[in-house]
Every structure is written in structure tokens, then in C-alpha cells.
Amino acid sequence: MKQRKPSDEIRVIKGVDHNVYHIDGVPVHFPFKPYMSQLGMMNHMIRTLSRSQNSMLESPTGSGKSLAMLCAALGWRKNFAAKLQQSRVNVRRIATRFSLQNKSLPSHAGKEPMNSNYADKSLRAISIIAEHILKKAANGKIPSGLDQSDIDILSDYQQNYAHIKHAPVIYFGSRTHKQVSQLISELRDKTPYRMKMAVLGSRQLECIHPWVQKASSSVDEVCSELRIDNKCKYHTSSRLLLSDESIMKGGSNEIWDIEDIVSLGKSAGACPYYASHELAKAAVLVFCPYNYIVDPIVRSAVRIFPDNNVVILDEAHNIEGVARDAASVEITDVQLKRIVRECEQALIVTTSQSTYRRVIVMAKRLLLWLQGTSNKYEFSDATGHTSVWPKKDVSLDSALEEIGFTKESVTQLEFDYRVLEEDTKNPDLVNKKITRHQAQDQDQESLRYHLSGMSLRVILSLALVLKRICPANSQFKEDYRLARIKKFTNDNCSEESDPDWQSTTSTFALWAMSPGIIFSELSEKCRSIILTSGTLSPLSSYASELRTEFASTLEADHVVSPDRFLAMCIQCGPAGQLLEGKYANVDYQSYQDDIGQAVASIAAKCSGGMLVFAPSYSLLNKLIARWRETGEMAKINKHKKPFIELQGDSAHSFNRLLSAYKKFLSDRSNNSTEGQCGAVMFAVYRGKISEGIDFSDHLCRTIVNIGIPYPAFMDPKVALKREYNDAHSSLSSKSGGLLSGFSWYNTQAFRAINQALGRCLRHKSDWGAIILLDSRLAMPRNTSQLSKWIRAHIKSYSKFDQAAQDLDLFYKTRLQEDIEDSLVSNTARLTLS
């Protein structure tokens, strides 16, 4: 499917206060005087976009990077569209003038010579004429009726615009739907820009059909089957939303979010999901979670077209992992058995017998391979075993051939997938009733006889990964590891309660070691890719890992003045214990007790909210259990009401926890109960609390970081990635060799720390204390890996007492200044009234 031409119109509306800043020749409308970090970001972005390059921009959370990105991107797009249009007008005039004075014109792709009317209609035609004129001029013969200024215009057009069908679409991705919503709020509430835009979301968020919402099976699948069988009245009415006045030019919802389109859909009885995807086809700006852009399967499904367009990925500190996962595939034996079962059901009625039989054979061969045993498991622990290929005596090719995967069989699998997919779109096949007799005594009265969406996704993922590996000359063969994983089941299910239950689960995996497999493919299609986050450092590792050249990089300073935050590394606890949170130390009670005393002491001093981060849920639970035994938790509770982030919490439970924490802090009456002066949230690095949540002002006056959150050292993926990086660290690539395995491992830990540190200091007037409770963070080689805005200001303390005194003084100074500022503000309001 081809991309529809987007609207070129980006308007600047009245009624929103703004100034105009000319950056690299582009007028940018901005709502207030930008911070230096915002000007730096906009300058880098506009230069990058103008030159069709890629950029990485690190700007601390709370420095206004979202607003700067939106205004710079839209300002550049508006300017580019105007220049593209004017260039075409100028070239068309020159080409028409030339064609009127020349009887012999260049042929157009083997067709008859063009006349002036044809030149007036076809962009391709005027490009050919422009090329013809430039060739003559290069030989020193400027055609009659033209001059050097005409030649300059044609040269500029051929170099910058001839290959462009339309001004680029901007795809703006962030990590989650919630972060996408925050971007849209910035666009709607703070910028003067208006344009055709769209938001791509999941059916889980956008489907309004009551059957689908209550479905116990896949929402995507139920929706698809209702639509194909013409049983969804909302889908058939989805076009009603396309002409809704509120989302049209000047409408109240011209800039809309998922909640807006769902509300409109419910009112109109029209499907928000399909309407939003239709709106995206002609949009200038499309928002979505960034896995929609990075994952080629999802990208194709939602009709995202990166070719010659602009991609901006915000909160991109996780992009390496997202890209590696998108390039990998894991298939469990349960999934394979489901594929076999569904294919066997389909054989009862399908006309594509050979296709389904081949897929059954493929799945059974994989199941047989999974049942095999290995002489050596490279990774074993209490949860299971993992065997990995290539081995010293078995290549990856040989291992795959043993299963039955060759270049020819993978080509066949791709073909079979297309047949299977077509069957799911056949209304004669969807929801067809199969009698108990036909179903050969199956328990269900009505069985599908095409593959489920889940099974199709498994087959497609497998085919795409194998397609990269199996050709003999594959450039990606060394970038993959094959794994057979056996995990012991540890739950309360049984065969009686769940027919798919088994004591062990076996998994076939092809793990990508390099995110560049996927990302370089994306970057080669795009005009520009811009990565932004508060925690990208070290930037050089991204370029090599993603196999993408970034011509422009920026590490911006924080907008918060250094005197408004105190950053400290405390090497010893109140009892004098060296705080070194190594794996070998964290189970010692002396370490746990001194950490507890330190946290309790800090909680007694600070007001408002306090966040405490631990490297893992396991350690966090051990610490809290120990502090309850020793009474340290009671001391903490005396000053701060505790809240605890739980592992595996549902989105609903997490939102309730977060709301309760914020509500408690916002209720001033709670802050004076029995000496309590706020609340404390215990959380983990890389958890939900550490990612993308705004804890401004009183919600977080203190962050306490315990330990260094290194990835699990013997996790198979982590160990294989370290080994892979060591093997490739000295090899040359587009952006230099990879980091060594140790350096990569270290980088993952410090990105997690830096991300957690960004939860406070959310605006220029904010203030807070950042406390690192680990002696290793005082080492220069570790301090250097902290974000630029903090590493220049961190103070190291060898004794807890001195740190406590400075912390106490900082809190008193800041609180006193808040009181004085409040008095001044109240006096000013009284004077005005």
C-alpha cells in the first residue's frame, strides 16, 4: 500500500502568545523566551532536518525538550513545504519557458517527446527538462531565453527537491501511550501550530464494541473477525468521524488525543480505531508509541511509511533493547502446539491443504527439536537450562538445518504465511460453524478453521528473522544466537485446571545481538531520525550499537540553577559501614541496617515526597523486611508515610498506588500528623516509577539511590551480549567499534540510574536533593557516567554526619526561600486586588 500525500498546511493560530525565532534560516514560533538548552535543541534539530541527517539530543527531564522538539520540527516542516512549493513553481516556469522556445524536447521514459502542456502537468517531466538544461549549461551552453539565475534555481531544485514527492510526514514516537498523551498536551496547550494530525493507538485503548471489550480472547482477533464478517456496526460507520467538524480545521479537537477520538466515536457510534488510522494517512504529524515505528511487523500493520519522512523518538534511552527485541523471535512449545491444533482444524474444510500440512510439519519439527537434550547447557540455574548455538563444533547454519530451516524452506514459509493470512480475511471462512462430528469430538461447538492472529504473528516473526539469517551470504549471520530454553513451571495450575499446563516450558529462540539489524534498516529509509532523552549518555555507544551515523549530538545543561539542587554521594552509613552494594555484600545485615539508618535519617530531615530506588525487587523486599524487624521502618513511618511499588503490579493497581501517594502529599493535613512531613515511595530502577512520571515540586524533594543496578550477570541474553560486544569492539563499522562487553554492561546500569535521577527537578523553579548511597559512585570512572548536568556538581562524603549536616542546611535554606517567595507572591496579589 502506498502512502497518501499529506496535507502541506501547517498554520500558526492567533490567540496563543508566542515569539518568532529565526534558527538556521527557519522561523520558529515559540510560546515564551526559550532556555539555552531549548535553543540548542532546536538549532541541532533544524540543521539535522535541513541536511537530511540524524541527530542524538540529550536534555535533562524538565528542561522543556518536548516543547522545543515540537516547535522546531513543525517550524522546519512548514518552512520546507513552502520552499518546496515555491521551488516547483519556479522550475515549472523555467521548464515551460524553455519548452516553448525549443521544438526538440527530451523524451520521457521512452514516450513521445514532451510538449509544453505535458511539461505543465508532470513533476517528472519538468525534472527531466531541468536535467536536460543543466547538462547543456554544464557544457557552457545556457539555452536561449535563460540566464545564470535560472540555472542556479534548477541546480537547487535537482539537488534538494527533485526526488521528493511531498513534504515529509513527521512520525513522533515516545515510549508509552501516556507519554504520547503528554506530547499532545504540549502541542495543543502551548504551541500556536495547527495541522492535520493523528494518533495511532491499540484496539485495547480505542475499540468501543461491547463484545470486543468483554472478550476473553485476543481483542485484535475478535475485532478482526467481527469486521470481516460485517458484524461491527462501528467499523462500517467509522468514516463518520473523518468528517467530524470538531477535528477539522479550526475545530475544538483539531489537536486530539485518544480519549478525544474515543469520546467522539461513542457519540457518533463510529469506530475510533479505524478512523484514527484513516486520519493518519493524510496527516502531517503522527504520534504513536515508538515500537510502532521500530518494529517492522507493527510498522507494516499500522501503515507507517518511514521512506523519506522524519522520525523523532522521544524517551529513546530504551531504544537499543526495543530494537534487539524487534529483531528477535521466541516461540514456546505451547504456541507450537496451538499452531498444530489450529492447522489440523483448518484441514477439515480448507482448500489450501498443502500449505497447512507444511506448517504442521514445520511446527512438529520444532517441537521435536525442543524435546532434545544437550550434552552441555551453557546456562543453568534453579529456574531452568539454556543451550546456545553456535558451539565450537556446531555452526548456526548446521543447527538450523537440523531443524529443517534452509534458504528454500524459509522462502516457502513466507509464501505459506501469505496464504494463511489471506484465509483470515475470507468472510466465508471466518466464524464458520463446525459441528461436533466434523470437529472430531472437539469440546467446542464452534471452531475457527483459519489460524488465530497470535499464531500468524508467530509464523511471520519466525519467517522474517530466518530470512535475515539463512542466505549463505547473509550479513547478519554472526549477529544471531540460537537458543533452546527449558524452564521449570512453578505455579498452582495442573493438567486438570489447564489443558496446556506442563511441568516445563521449552522455548525456541533466535536472539539478535545487535539493535542495528533493525535500526539501520529504518534509518536508511528515513530522511532523518532524531533520538532524544534525558539519559542517552554515553552517546557514542548508540551510534555504534544502532549502526547509524549521527552527524549531530548534544548534551544540554539543566535549566535548574545548581544552587537549587544538592547532589551527594555518601560512602558510609551512620554506623560507619562502607556502603558498597555489591552482590556479595547486600545480604549482610550490617549493610542492610546501615542503609536503613541512612534512609530513616534522610526521611526525618526532608519535607514533601521522597523516592527511594533499589537495584531489584528482590533486594528491595529484603531491605524492607529487615527494617521492619529492626524498627527502622517504624522510624521512617514516623516522618514519612511509606508506599511500595510491587513487582508485576497491574496498570490499574499501579495507578491506584501512584494516585494514593500524590493525594497524600497534596493533603496538607497529612503532613502534620504525628510529626509526618510527607511520604516515601520505595521503587526499583527500570520500574514504572523510574520511567516518565512527573514528580515535580512537593511530590519529590529527595531522591535516594541505593546501589548500582547492573543487569543480571548470568542472564543468558546479557552474557551473550557481553561476549558479542567483546568480539566486535575493535571491528570497524559506520560509527566505530562497539563498546566492550564490560563497558556495555556498565552503561546499562548508569542509564538506569540517570533515568531515576530525572524524576525530580521538573521545571526551572523546582528544587531537591539527590543522594547516592554507594561508595563506588564516588569513583571518577563511575561519576563520569552520570548525566552531564549532575556530574559537574556532585559532592562526595566519606562520613555520613558531614553529609547529614549539609543536607539539613540545604533543606532549611530552600524551605525558608519558599516561605519568602510565597510571602512576596501573596503581597503582590493583595496589591493588585
Side-chain angles (χ1 to χ4, degrees):
M1 181 179 291
K2 293 183 179 180
Q3 180 182 6
R4 185 187 301 173
K5 180 183 176 181
S7 166
D8 279 343
E9 184 182 28
I10 296 179
R11 304 177 348 267
V12 176
I13 60 171
K14 297 178 180 179
V16 177
D17 291 337
H18 65 272
N19 301 312
V20 181
Y21 297 87
H22 291 268
I23 301 174
D24 200 34
V26 174
V28 177
H29 298 258
F30 204 76
F32 49 79
K33 183 179 179 180
Y35 303 132
M36 288 303 296
S37 61
Q38 289 176 317
L39 280 173
M41 284 198 73
M42 291 191 287
N43 182 49
H44 275 265
M45 280 189 68
I46 287 171
R47 284 193 295 132
T48 292
L49 294 170
S50 298
R51 293 161 176 75
S52 300
Q53 296 173 336
N54 305 315
S55 184
M56 284 189 293
L57 310 173
E58 181 181 82
S59 186
T61 302
S63 60
K65 63 181 173 64
S66 298
L67 187 60
M69 287 189 295
L70 286 165
C71 290
L74 293 171
W76 173 84
R77 171 47 165 80
K78 178 177 172 63
N79 184 69
F80 182 88
K83 289 170 70 175
L84 174 63
Q85 183 179 8
Q86 187 59 53
S87 180
R88 285 176 174 170
V89 169
N90 293 340
V91 172
R92 196 181 299 274
R93 286 174 180 165
I94 295 169
T96 301
R97 193 179 346 135
F98 172 81
S99 62
L100 289 172
Q101 295 186 19
N102 290 267
K103 296 180 180 180
S104 176
L105 297 176
S107 61
H108 178 242
K111 296 181 180 180
E112 291 299 315
M114 299 179 294
N115 57 36
S116 60
N117 290 332
Y118 189 76
D120 196 44
K121 294 177 182 177
S122 168
L123 285 175
R124 175 64 180 152
I126 65 170
S127 183
I128 290 174
I129 294 177
E131 188 175 343
H132 179 70
I133 295 170
L134 289 173
K135 283 182 179 178
K136 284 181 172 290
N139 294 326
K141 298 178 181 179
I142 297 178
S144 60
L146 304 183
D147 56 27
Q148 186 58 48
S149 64
D150 296 321
I151 302 302
D152 293 341
I153 290 171
L154 293 177
S155 297
D156 179 66
Y157 175 79
Q158 288 295 93
Q159 181 178 348
N160 297 310
Y161 303 109
H163 62 287
I164 296 173
K165 293 181 179 179
H166 54 73
V169 175
I170 299 170
Y171 292 105
F172 208 130
S174 195
R175 199 175 64 87
T176 64
H177 282 295
K178 185 171 184 179
Q179 289 167 330
V180 168
S181 294
Q182 292 169 354
L183 287 168
I184 295 169
S185 294
E186 292 273 292
L187 174 64
R188 178 175 51 215
D189 300 336
K190 295 182 180 179
T191 82
Y193 290 106
R194 294 297 180 266
M195 75 302 294
K196 282 189 177 181
M197 53 79 64
V199 190
L200 297 177
S202 64
R203 286 181 175 90
Q204 285 86 344
L205 292 174
E206 293 186 323
C207 183
I208 60 175
H209 196 298
W211 290 6
V212 177
Q213 291 178 332
K214 295 176 183 177
S216 57
S217 56
S218 166
V219 168
D220 291 338
E221 206 153 311
V222 176
C223 169
S224 180
E225 292 182 353
L226 286 171
R227 178 176 56 85
I228 294 169
D229 211 28
N230 291 319
K231 291 182 179 178
C232 181
K233 63 179 182 180
Y234 303 101
H235 174 258
T236 55
S237 303
S238 61
R239 297 194 70 83
L240 291 174
L241 284 180
L242 306 184
S243 56
D244 189 293
E245 290 185 358
S246 68
I247 62 174
M248 303 295 281
K249 179 178 177 180
S252 58
N253 284 314
E254 185 177 5
I255 304 298
W256 52 271
D257 200 352
I258 286 177
E259 289 79 5
D260 301 317
I261 201 79
V262 168
S263 178
L264 291 171
K266 288 178 178 178
S267 298
C271 176
Y273 177 80
Y274 283 100
S276 62
H277 282 65
E278 190 66 27
L279 288 166
K281 293 178 181 178
V284 170
L285 177 62
V286 179
F287 293 99
C288 61
Y290 57 55
N291 69 300
Y292 284 33
I293 303 170
V294 176
D295 189 323
I297 294 178
V298 180
R299 185 167 71 231
S300 175
V302 300
R303 302 289 191 267
I304 286 176
F305 302 93
D307 304 67
N308 298 314
N309 290 321
V310 172
V311 167
I312 302 173
L313 304 179
D314 191 20
E315 301 298 334
H317 49 276
N318 293 323
I319 205 68
E320 282 185 33
V322 170
R324 276 200 309 273
D325 289 345
S328 304
V329 63
E330 292 186 4
I331 309 175
T332 67
D333 51 359
V334 173
Q335 291 172 315
L336 289 168
K337 290 172 184 176
R338 183 184 296 119
I339 288 172
V340 171
R341 187 165 62 245
E342 290 176 358
C343 285
E344 288 175 343
Q345 288 168 189
L347 282 173
I348 298 169
V349 290
T350 184
T351 58
S352 305
Q353 294 274 324
S354 58
T355 293
Y356 284 88
R357 292 189 189 281
R358 276 193 299 270
V359 173
I360 290 172
V361 170
M362 180 273 295
K364 286 185 173 180
R365 287 183 69 101
L366 264 177
L367 282 167
L368 185 64
W369 182 79
L370 285 174
Q371 291 169 9
T373 58
S374 297
N375 295 327
K376 178 185 177 183
Y377 291 103
E378 284 80 4
F379 303 96
S380 293
D381 59 23
T383 66
H385 311 296
T386 301
S387 190
V388 178
W389 289 265
K391 301 180 186 294
K392 286 185 179 179
D393 55 342
V394 183
S395 68
L396 181 61
D397 279 342
S398 298
L400 290 173
E401 285 176 12
E402 179 190 339
I403 305 170
F405 293 132
T406 62
K407 180 181 178 181
E408 293 72 25
S409 67
V410 172
T411 301
Q412 183 65 61
L413 184 59
E414 284 188 282
F415 172 81
D416 289 340
Y417 168 79
R418 289 192 289 271
V419 174
L420 299 172
E421 186 185 33
E422 282 304 310
D423 276 2
T424 66
K425 300 174 184 177
N426 187 340
D428 293 332
L429 301 180
V430 176
N431 291 334
K432 184 179 176 76
K433 298 293 181 182
I434 300 177
T435 66
R436 229 181 257 279
H437 174 70
Q438 286 175 311
Q440 299 178 354
D441 297 322
Q442 292 285 342
D443 292 334
Q444 298 172 335
E445 191 72 40
S446 175
L447 298 173
R448 77 176 79 249
Y449 66 106
H450 59 79
L451 262 64
S452 63
M454 189 180 301
S455 294
L456 276 175
R457 172 67 188 252
V458 168
I459 293 170
L460 178 58
S461 298
L462 176 63
L464 291 181
V465 171
L466 288 171
K467 186 179 179 181
R468 297 188 194 107
I469 302 172
C470 282
N473 60 347
S474 169
Q475 61 176 314
F476 300 123
K477 202 179 296 289
E478 293 186 2
D479 300 326
Y480 276 91
R481 300 293 181 268
L482 170 65
R484 177 163 57 205
I485 308 158
K486 293 183 182 292
K487 289 289 183 184
F488 306 126
T489 304
N490 184 25
D491 55 35
N492 297 321
C493 291
S494 66
E495 234 171 324
E496 290 74 23
S497 61
D498 182 356
D500 285 329
W501 181 86
Q502 48 197 34
S503 59
T504 61
T505 299
S506 297
T507 302
F508 163 90
L510 279 166
W511 289 326
M513 295 292 101
S514 170
I517 297 169
I518 286 291
F519 199 87
S520 61
E521 173 192 310
L522 175 65
S523 67
E524 286 169 5
K525 294 176 183 289
C526 297
R527 176 188 177 90
S528 295
I529 288 186
I530 297 173
L531 303 184
T532 74
S533 178
T535 51
L536 288 176
S537 298
L539 301 183
S540 59
S541 74
Y542 268 95
S544 56
E545 285 283 349
L546 298 177
R547 298 182 182 177
T548 298
E549 183 177 351
F550 292 90
S552 172
T553 60
L554 172 70
E555 287 184 87
D557 291 317
H558 212 302
V559 297
V560 176
S561 173
D563 67 336
R564 298 191 67 81
F565 65 89
L566 176 63
M568 50 172 51
C569 175
I570 304 178
Q571 299 182 50
C572 294
Q577 169 81 27
L578 183 68
L579 301 180
E580 191 175 23
K582 292 181 177 179
Y583 181 78
N585 296 341
V586 294
D587 284 336
Y588 288 123
Q589 291 181 352
S590 57
Y591 171 82
Q592 297 174 2
D593 292 348
D594 227 6
I595 286 285
Q597 291 174 36
V599 172
S601 174
I602 295 165
K605 297 177 184 301
C606 75
S607 65
M610 174 173 161
L611 303 180
V612 178
F613 290 102
S616 67
Y617 287 105
S618 173
L619 178 57
L620 179 61
N621 293 336
K622 284 179 185 178
L623 292 173
I624 290 175
R626 175 64 181 171
W627 298 343
R628 283 172 176 159
E629 287 179 13
T630 61
E632 292 302 331
M633 201 66 187
K635 293 178 183 177
I636 293 170
N637 189 49
K638 182 178 178 181
H639 301 285
K640 292 269 187 283
K641 181 175 175 61
F643 295 83
I644 303 172
E645 180 183 23
L646 300 177
Q647 187 173 13
D649 227 359
S650 68
H652 177 68
S653 297
F654 174 77
N655 288 334
R656 281 196 310 174
L657 172 74
L658 189 59
S659 296
Y661 172 83
K662 291 182 176 182
K663 184 176 184 300
F664 185 89
L665 286 168
S666 297
D667 187 345
R668 292 185 178 275
S669 63
N670 288 326
N671 295 333
S672 59
T673 303
E674 297 180 358
Q676 278 189 338
C677 56
V680 56
M681 176 73 78
F682 292 99
V684 298
Y685 300 104
R686 303 186 186 89
K688 293 177 182 176
I689 292 294
S690 72
E691 292 273 356
I693 297 178
D694 185 348
F695 291 97
S696 60
D697 300 320
H698 67 287
L699 295 178
C700 180
R701 290 302 186 197
T702 306
I703 285 183
V704 177
N705 287 8
I706 298 171
I708 301 176
Y710 290 108
F713 190 77
M714 287 309 297
D715 177 278
K717 288 185 182 179
V718 173
L720 290 170
K721 176 62 177 168
R722 291 200 324 269
E723 179 186 278
Y724 173 87
N725 273 45
D726 280 336
H728 292 79
S729 60
S730 61
L731 299 180
S732 60
S733 67
K734 280 186 180 179
S735 307
L738 298 178
L739 293 176
S740 69
F742 173 79
S743 297
W744 172 86
Y745 184 69
N746 218 38
T747 295
Q748 306 313 302
F750 280 88
R751 284 205 180 117
I753 290 177
N754 290 331
Q755 189 63 21
L757 296 181
R759 294 316 92 209
C760 73
L761 304 179
R762 307 293 293 192
H763 57 83
K764 187 175 183 180
S765 300
D766 211 348
W767 63 267
I770 294 166
I771 304 166
L772 308 177
L773 295 180
D774 198 293
S775 60
R776 293 171 294 173
L777 293 170
M779 300 176 185
R781 64 181 173 85
N782 288 329
T783 304
S784 66
Q785 296 211 56
L786 298 174
S787 292
K788 177 185 175 183
W789 65 271
I790 191 173
R791 64 177 177 251
H793 304 287
I794 193 164
K795 299 178 181 178
S796 180
Y797 295 84
S798 58
K799 294 183 179 180
F800 186 86
D801 288 347
Q802 183 59 56
Q805 289 176 23
D806 286 1
L807 188 61
D808 195 38
L809 178 62
F810 173 76
Y811 287 136
K812 287 178 179 177
T813 302
R814 294 268 60 87
L815 288 170
Q816 181 62 36
E817 191 170 300
D818 278 357
I819 292 170
E820 293 171 0
D821 289 344
S822 179
L823 288 172
V824 170
S825 179
N826 289 336
T827 302
R829 279 198 296 269
L830 288 171
T831 302
L832 288 172
S833 61

